[in-house]
Amino acid sequence: MKYILLLCSMLCFVSCNMSEDKKERQNNEILKQVQHDEKQFPKLEANRYNVAFLIMDGVYNTELTAPFDIFQHTIFRDSIKPMNVFTVANTDAPIVTFEGMRILPDFNYTKDDLPKIDILVVPSAEHHLDTDLDDTVMLDFVKRVDKEAQFITSHCDGAFVLAQAGLLDNSVSTTFPSDIDTMRERFPDLDIRKEVLFVHDGKYITSAGGAKSFEAALYLCEHLYGKSIAESLAVGLVIDWKLEEVPHLIIN
């Protein structure tokens, strides 16, 4: 209620003292301020892994929603440390996915106080092979998270972001099958593997993406919680899950 009264009084003042164009600009600024004051952050439960999904315009639905579904369902399993899942972006405005879905980010990493991120997920986005790789603010954010995170995961061309940030310099990785040669050309010193759906090397898990993003996410759950939990998560989403049948590479 206090925000409504504040908004009404401030809009009235603006209306009485400014030209129409200037009033409109001022009103927009006031509305933005009120909206910011009312921003609701997700409730993050204690004793859980904090899992952040890095989103931006052009993010692909599957590489975002597949691991999101797997990780979110951990809260329905007993006797494990489940996951808080949330999105982070460089804006408070809705993100528009490549397929047209509109998503309101939970946190703006350029100005909000973010919780400690235990697992960062980098889904693929439309411009991960070009303009996104010049986004130094985004890349610096990824580098900062990497310093404390337990795992950094990518799906499809999200691996290009990790490579551009220098995270894969000493790791084996993979990416979307038809973009492997492009990644090898751009990052000739990296060890990038074909004919696998995901690679786990140290704290980094890179996957081919697409529907196989489910497999990479289930693998991380099996790594953290054991085979039976991963199988139960798969059953809950009607997924056939047998790690031994998924082409993958684990670097010990």
Side-chain angles (χ1 to χ4, degrees), residues 14-26:
V14 170
S15 298
C16 296
N17 293 277
M18 298 183 180
S19 66
E20 289 300 317
D21 289 342
K22 195 170 184 180
K23 282 191 290 185
E24 183 176 359
R25 290 195 299 271
Q26 184 66 58

Side-chain angles (χ1 to χ4, degrees), residues 30-48:
I30 294 170
L31 287 168
K32 288 179 182 179
Q33 183 61 44
V34 172
Q35 290 168 352
H36 176 74
D37 289 343
E38 293 182 326
K39 180 173 180 178
Q40 298 295 311
F41 295 102
K43 182 180 179 181
L44 303 181
E45 300 291 346
N47 301 314
R48 292 184 179 182

Side-chain angles (χ1 to χ4, degrees), residues 17-201:
N17 293 277
M18 298 183 180
S19 66
E20 289 300 317
D21 289 342
K22 195 170 184 180
K23 282 191 290 185
E24 183 176 359
R25 290 195 299 271
Q26 184 66 58
N27 287 350
N28 288 337
E29 291 302 316
I30 294 170
L31 287 168
K32 288 179 182 179
Q33 183 61 44
V34 172
Q35 290 168 352
H36 176 74
D37 289 343
E38 293 182 326
K39 180 173 180 178
Q40 298 295 311
F41 295 102
K43 182 180 179 181
L44 303 181
E45 300 291 346
N47 301 314
R48 292 184 179 182
Y49 294 106
N50 286 332
V51 184
F53 287 74
L54 178 61
I55 61 174
M56 60 200 67
D57 283 336
V59 65
Y60 291 101
N61 286 357
T62 304
E63 281 85 17
L64 168 61
T65 59
F68 198 102
D69 278 356
I70 297 294
F71 295 157
Q72 191 275 338
H73 279 72
T74 61
I75 67 175
F76 303 114
R77 301 299 180 273
D78 295 328
S79 304
I80 66 170
K81 181 179 178 179
M83 300 181 180
N84 293 314
V85 293
F86 53 89
T87 56
V88 294
N90 64 356
T91 179
D92 290 314
I95 291 295
V96 180
T97 72
F98 181 81
E99 293 83 2
M101 184 184 295
R102 293 169 64 84
I103 301 171
L104 192 64
D106 292 314
F107 291 95
N108 182 335
Y109 64 76
T110 68
K111 64 179 183 179
D112 291 334
D113 291 329
L114 270 64
K116 180 181 179 295
I117 296 172
D118 301 302
I119 301 170
L120 178 66
V121 182
V122 183
S124 184
E126 181 181 9
H127 294 292
H128 273 3
L129 271 66
D130 43 72
T131 54
D132 286 340
L133 300 183
D134 297 323
D135 186 346
T136 56
V137 175
M138 182 266 287
L139 294 171
D140 286 344
F141 167 72
V142 172
K143 293 175 186 178
R144 290 198 305 273
V145 173
D146 177 63
K147 292 178 180 179
E148 294 188 334
Q150 295 182 41
F151 295 98
I152 306 287
T153 76
S154 69
H155 300 277
C156 189
D157 292 331
F160 280 73
V161 172
L162 304 192
Q164 186 71 15
L167 274 55
L168 301 179
D169 287 354
N170 299 303
S171 299
V172 180
S173 61
T174 193
T175 188
F176 188 66
S178 64
D179 290 331
I180 288 177
D181 289 340
T182 300
M183 189 171 174
R184 286 174 170 172
E185 291 173 5
R186 183 177 181 102
F187 306 102
D189 295 330
L190 297 188
D191 187 349
I192 304 162
R193 302 295 179 90
K194 286 186 175 181
E195 300 177 354
V196 290
L197 294 179
F198 68 83
V199 176
H200 179 191
D201 190 350

